[in-house]
Amino acid sequence: MPSLKDLRNRISSVKATRKITKAMQMVAAAKLRRAQEAATAARPYAERMDAVLAALGKSANRDGASPLLVGTGKDQTHLLIVMTAERGLAGGFNSNIAKLARADAQKLLAAGKTVKILTVGRKGAENLRRDLGRNIIERIELKGIRQLGFVNAEEIGSKVLASFEAGEFDVATLYFSEFKSVIAQKPTALQLIPAKLPEVNAAEDGKAAGAQAVVEYEPDEDAILGYLLTRNVSTQIFRGLLENAASEQGARMSAMDSATRNAGEMINKLTVKYNRQRQANITKELIEIISGAEAL
């Protein structure tokens, strides 16, 4: 049975931990608003980019189309771009993304495919290092960046495009966590190369064709499509970075809130245990004093 001193030390330790988790919760709540606004603002641009690409891709000549649209004709080598956070203490945020990427990688390896992994964020490399360490070709860390910008996504996108032009992979898939709410973040896999364009059913296509005017492109559609396909890689990566930033703060806020409440419950239990132990010691000392007095 622990002594009163041990119980006091443990209560003090848990109280100090509760202060830290409470402070982290408040910091995450402050950062969440800005990150959520940035992620929400980026969605319409990315969705409109998909719509334009779908319209151009539908009318484009597939025979001479860019490999970014139609692929290389093979799917032997896959590049998995796994984006996670630089720090932990965010519940299952990092592990859920890594779990989805690990499951897809194992399926591809079982099918005889070659898998290459590019990690963005320190936690992704740490989560995948044990099972898929040999497949990690590069690690990109963003720990020194305080505010994410499109330039960060362009740097990653340029590396991916250069690797694709060098013939180092056939299919690229992006893994990130889509922000739904403070308590809900959805791990998502998005195919980047070849571009996976949104599908439009016949009814919606006919309705859109009747409502929209005829559009003329200058320069021609193929030139615009080639430029947009290249820019779409960086655009989707930027969207993933922003979604991840919002999801990370939401997950950390929830995790620290749970940790703070658990610390409070532990303090209450330890306090009750301390009071009972203290009362038992006092009772024992009184009994010893009374017994000594009677013996005299």
Side-chain angles (χ1 to χ4, degrees), residues 83-85 87-100 102 123 127 176-177 182-187 244 247-248 250-256 258:
M83 299 198 303
T84 56
R87 295 185 294 272
L89 297 177
F93 167 73
N94 294 305
S95 59
N96 288 338
I97 299 174
K99 182 179 179 180
L100 177 61
R102 184 186 297 108
K123 286 298 178 179
N127 276 278
F176 62 96
S177 183
V182 176
I183 60 175
Q185 301 86 33
K186 180 183 178 182
N244 257 14
S247 297
E248 177 191 356
R252 180 170 290 116
M253 180 179 171
S254 298
M256 292 301 100
S258 297

Side-chain angles (χ1 to χ4, degrees), residues 18-36:
R18 184 174 63 174
K19 290 181 180 179
I20 295 173
T21 57
K22 183 64 176 178
M24 292 185 67
Q25 177 191 351
M26 295 175 66
V27 171
K31 291 182 177 180
L32 174 62
R33 183 177 179 181
R34 293 193 300 269
Q36 183 178 355

